[in-house]
Amino acid sequence: MNKKIEVHIVDRSDMLLPTFPKKVQEVVKEKIYKSNVILHLNEEVKEIKDTQLITKKGLTLDYDLILWAGGPVSNQMYKDAGMSVDEKGYMVVNQFLQNIDFEYIFGAGDCISIQNFSQMKKVGVYAIKEAPYLWRNILNYFYCKSLESYTPQN
Ligand SMILES: Cc1cc2nc3c(=O)[nH]c(=O)nc-3n(C[C@H](O)[C@H](O)[C@H](O)COP(=O)(O)OP(=O)(O)OC[C@H]3O[C@@H](n4cnc5c(N)ncnc54)[C@H](O)[C@@H]3O)c2cc1C
């Protein structure tokens, strides 16, 4: 089979890897151009049909395979339940991992945004470190003891 394979990258931001240093962005961009990958920046995916991907601006790409790497997404239920959420919809907790509106609700891991640490990435290392604080603070809350403050690592 001599089917020509085309690889496209579609991203809604106007630069690749926006949170990385400029040098990294440039190196990656150059590698992409050299490998004949077609890059579409400033294009937000609106719809994925059986064989076509369509962006908000109307770019339409036929595909055989899509690898979706759109990042974590929050659950609407926090907002629906009347909890404060950050700009991405994650439940806001204080440094005791305690919901800022309902003191009897605690949270950890990818579903939360910690006050004053809203730029933390959604990675497992935070979830793992938070887990013992979550457990101890739930117990402390029940036993009316003072709660332990969690500070994320750099
Ligand atoms: C492909 C991939 C690779 C990753 N690699 C790394 C890595 O190398 N290093 C790193 O640090 N992090 C990595 N992460 C991120 C890491 O997995 C997460 O940050 C971490 O698992 C978050 O823990 P959590 O307990 O908040 O959520 P999760 O581990 O996602 O657990 C949430 C749980 O809630 C359950 N759940 C969800 N909704 C409901 C519902 N409505 N009702 C009942 N149960 C529900 C789910 O089934 C799941 O068991 C990776 C993530 C992915 C997807």
Side-chain angles (χ1 to χ4, degrees), residues 108-111 122-125 127:
D110 286 358
C111 70
K122 303 293 180 203
V123 291
V125 67

Side-chain angles (χ1 to χ4, degrees), residues 1-7 51 62-65:
M1 246 192 10
N2 279 330
K3 193 175 175 191
K4 189 175 163 256
I5 292 174
E6 257 185 29
V7 178
T51 57
D62 295 327
Y63 71 84
D64 296 306
L65 174 71

Side-chain angles (χ1 to χ4, degrees), residues 75 77 108-112 121-128 130:
N75 193 306
M77 74 175 173
D110 286 358
C111 70
I112 57 153
K121 289 199 178 0
K122 303 293 180 203
V123 291
V125 67
Y126 294 122
I128 289 164
E130 286 159 12

